[in-house]
Amino acid sequence: MPKPSFSAFAERITLPDLRLSPTEGLSIDRVRIELLSGLTVALALVPEAVAFAFVAGVNPLVGLYAAFIIGLITAILGGRPGMISGATGAIAVVIVALVAQHGVEYLFAAVVVMGIIQIFVGFMRWGKFIRLVPHPVMLGFVNGLAIVIFLAQLTQFKVPGTAEVGGHGATGGEWLSGGPLMIMLGLVALTMAIIHYIPRVTRIIPAPLAGIAITAFIVIVFGLDVPRVGDMASIAGGLPSFHIPMVPFTLETLQIVLPYALIMAAVGLIESLLTLNLVGEITGQRGGASQECVAQGAANVVTGLFGGMGGCAMIGQSMINVNSGGRTRIAGIFAALCLLGFILFAAPLIEQIPLAALVGVMFMVVIGTFAWNSFKIMRRVPLTDAVVIVLVTIVTVLTDLATAVVIGVIVSALAYAWNNARRIYATTYVSPEGAKVYQVNGPLFFGSSDGFAELFDVSGDPALVIIDFQASRVVDQSALQAIESVAAKYEAEGKRIQLRHLSRNCHDLLKKAGHLMIDSSDDPEYELAVDYGVRTGILGGH
């Protein structure tokens, strides 16, 4: 296999194509939908970026700059048009300890290293391994993230200035009560109702944007005393400036930031690639995993050099964009530019938007994101798959996404190995020459090697035993060891065995390990039954 080269990979990167398809141009109506969808996403990004900056213990502008830079670069270079990226809680939770112990400059350095790692992963095309994530893990990921998004909104039901934002929601602070709570709940319900029913009236503007606009209009006109964006923090600021992290360029510094960078890179890529798959299922798009890795990496390198906190794909904002009609790169680019515009020019206006409107939007995202059919699915799928769905959901809520996905994949892999280990069996018959033939069925690998050894009656078999692998495959070193162990037992009894119907892969494995006395070439199509004698003492020392 040829090694990947940078030039070959660069040719595969899709530069901004604002069309829906290679043959379809952009109509005025399509541009309108994309721009309005991008504006809606930008409005939803503001409180999220500020809240995640609080989680990480950094200035709100550090989160906003990250949302702008990451959102812009990934919208231009990302592997899936329609995805939205920015500062995320998954990354914020990881960097809390780094910021607390070493300061924000070490955070910027860690974000740069994180980006370099992600670029390397993309260049090596390792993003394709996200295909190994089973569907039950995807369901658990979606459900867990929906719950996390829901819990994160509970912060807005705290009295402004008293809520302490945690990784998955509000921790501490005083809850709203009485009239303020009723007004807040009423405005949230109003926003959700508008989003639900407005498409039946008009589709001129995206439903989430209509919900935000109408609710904000009511609050501002009637002067309702409810928490607003400005109560979280001021979002006014200037352009992000180039800033090399002020840390010593020493091995000690690398030892400090590298562990955090590795975790951030893994968390960011897992969340981004799973979101890429989810958006792809909705929009009917495929591929782009490695390109998304490079885009995320480039975005984080630039973010770290311009004073941002790092980030990855955001499933909530991606769902807002897709459900609002965003299908091209225009929406993501415009969302990032709008966010920058808010910081530079429109902070006083944006700070007047009631948090209830944005909470209502996110609650609708939760309802639309949660895989409600998983309750029905869990009654029909194998018990192991149902357990994986629940396990990944719970671990996502209690810890983080990367841990949940890794645990889910491991449990699924072990369950698969166990099920395959139970499938091995053999049928036997005696050939006209008096040899006993074992026809092995099922894969021979580490999980089934013990079961394979139990198939044979060494003491009761004749002098010649033939093991037929036509319905089996020799997979790994444990399988080789199992064959040698069986051969050693027959050899100790003064008997010999032959292997028949080896596939090309099985033959190569055994030959490479030195297990076979090769008398003729193998025939993978099984047009000839070629028998191989086995010699022992190669792996096991018999």
Side-chain angles (χ1 to χ4, degrees):
M1 179 182 294
K3 296 182 179 180
S5 65
F6 180 80
S7 58
F9 182 80
E11 292 176 358
R12 294 171 61 93
I13 294 182
T14 305
L15 293 177
D17 184 355
L18 304 182
R19 297 172 295 173
L20 288 175
S21 69
T23 58
E24 183 179 353
L26 282 171
S27 65
I28 295 178
D29 187 58
R30 168 49 52 184
V31 173
R32 174 186 60 78
I33 293 174
E34 297 290 332
L35 295 180
L36 291 177
S37 180
L39 176 60
T40 307
V41 169
L43 292 173
L45 278 171
V46 173
E48 297 282 300
V50 172
F52 295 145
F54 285 153
V55 171
V58 298
N59 189 289
L61 281 177
V62 175
L64 290 168
Y65 287 153
F68 158 63
I69 296 172
I70 294 174
L72 181 63
I73 294 177
T74 55
I76 295 174
L77 299 178
R80 179 78 75 246
M83 270 181 59
I84 302 297
S85 298
T88 60
I91 300 296
V93 173
V94 174
I95 62 179
V96 172
L98 177 62
V99 175
Q101 295 177 17
H102 301 283
V104 71
E105 294 295 332
Y106 279 83
L107 165 62
F108 299 150
V111 172
V112 173
V113 176
M114 164 195 178
I116 294 172
I117 294 172
Q118 292 177 326
I119 292 174
F120 177 77
V121 170
F123 175 68
M124 297 302 294
R125 300 180 186 174
W126 291 345
K128 61 187 176 184
F129 289 111
I130 200 67
R131 301 172 187 170
L132 298 178
V133 176
H135 190 255
V137 176
M138 277 293 296
L139 288 177
F141 153 76
V142 169
N143 292 346
L145 226 51
I147 295 173
V148 169
I149 294 172
F150 171 79
L151 294 177
Q153 307 313 308
L154 299 183
T155 305
Q156 318 307 340
F157 291 89
K158 300 280 187 174
V159 176
T162 68
E164 179 185 344
V165 182
H168 293 148
T171 59
E174 300 178 8
W175 291 99
L176 293 173
S177 60
L181 178 60
M182 292 299 102
I183 295 175
M184 182 78 169
L185 291 173
L187 292 174
V188 170
L190 173 64
T191 304
M192 295 175 69
I194 293 171
I195 294 173
H196 179 71
Y197 289 107
I198 197 70
R200 304 181 184 183
V201 178
T202 179
R203 294 185 178 273
I204 295 179
I205 62 174
L209 182 58
I212 295 172
I214 295 174
T215 303
F217 177 81
I218 293 173
V219 169
I220 294 173
V221 169
F222 290 95
L224 299 180
D225 185 17
V226 294
R228 308 188 186 192
V229 172
D231 294 326
M232 298 182 66
S234 173
I235 67 169
L239 285 170
S241 57
F242 182 78
H243 172 78
I244 297 178
M246 298 178 63
V247 298
F249 289 90
T250 63
L251 183 60
E252 181 181 358
T253 299
L254 182 62
Q255 291 175 340
I256 293 173
V257 303
L258 184 58
Y260 291 97
L262 286 170
I263 297 173
M264 292 159 62
V267 170
L269 289 182
I270 290 174
E271 183 161 354
S272 298
L273 294 177
L274 290 178
T275 303
L276 178 135
N277 284 349
L278 184 63
V279 172
E281 290 179 5
I282 297 174
T283 60
Q285 298 169 317
R286 300 180 61 185
S290 296
Q291 181 174 336
E292 184 64 32
C293 294
V294 173
Q296 293 286 338
N300 279 301
V301 169
V302 175
T303 299
L305 295 175
F306 280 85
M309 61 179 280
C312 59
M314 308 180 74
I315 186 173
Q317 278 67 20
S318 296
M319 291 300 99
I320 291 175
N321 184 45
V322 171
N323 293 334
S324 298
R327 292 292 185 275
T328 72
R329 300 184 186 274
I330 293 178
I333 294 172
F334 190 65
L337 295 177
C338 283
L339 190 58
L340 180 62
F342 297 162
I343 297 172
L344 298 178
F345 311 111
L349 178 62
I350 301 302
E351 289 172 4
Q352 295 304 310
I353 294 177
L355 292 174
L358 300 174
V359 170
V361 172
M362 297 311 294
F363 278 174
M364 292 301 289
V365 169
V366 169
I367 294 173
T369 301
F370 194 92
W372 300 101
N373 65 334
S374 59
F375 293 111
K376 182 185 299 183
I377 291 174
M378 285 192 293
R379 295 197 300 267
R380 300 178 179 177
V381 298
L383 178 61
T384 304
D385 289 344
V387 169
V388 169
I389 294 173
V390 176
L391 179 64
V392 173
T393 300
I394 293 175
V395 176
T396 299
V397 175
L398 296 181
T399 58
D400 61 77
L401 172 66
T403 301
V405 171
V406 170
I407 290 176
V409 171
I410 290 175
V411 172
S412 298
L414 290 175
Y416 175 80
W418 174 253
N419 290 332
N420 275 277
R422 296 163 57 192
R423 289 171 50 195
I424 195 163
Y425 66 95
T427 57
T428 62
Y429 66 90
V430 178
S431 69
E433 296 79 16
K436 187 173 181 179
V437 180
Y438 286 85
Q439 291 184 317
V440 181
N441 291 267
L444 179 54
F445 66 111
F446 68 91
S448 60
S449 58
D450 288 343
F452 172 79
E454 296 172 358
L455 298 176
F456 302 93
D457 180 14
V458 178
S459 60
D461 284 344
L464 177 61
V465 173
I466 299 173
I467 306 177
D468 192 334
F469 287 95
Q470 183 168 0
S472 180
R473 288 294 181 271
V474 179
V475 176
D476 57 14
Q477 190 272 341
S478 295
L480 304 182
Q481 182 63 51
I483 295 174
E484 180 177 315
S485 178
V486 170
K489 292 178 182 178
Y490 279 106
E491 183 178 329
E493 293 284 335
K495 303 173 182 179
R496 64 190 184 94
I497 67 171
Q498 292 180 338
L499 310 183
R500 174 177 292 178
H501 283 145
L502 292 173
S503 70
R504 179 71 64 187
N505 290 339
C506 301
H507 171 252
D508 292 342
L509 270 175
L510 290 164
K511 183 178 179 180
K512 183 177 181 181
H515 281 245
L516 294 179
M517 301 290 290
I518 304 299
D519 298 322
S520 59
S521 59
D522 199 5
D523 180 14
E525 283 73 37
Y526 305 134
E527 295 176 4
L528 297 174
V530 181
D531 297 335
Y532 299 100
V534 178
R535 68 166 180 242
T536 61
I538 302 301
L539 292 179
H542 296 291

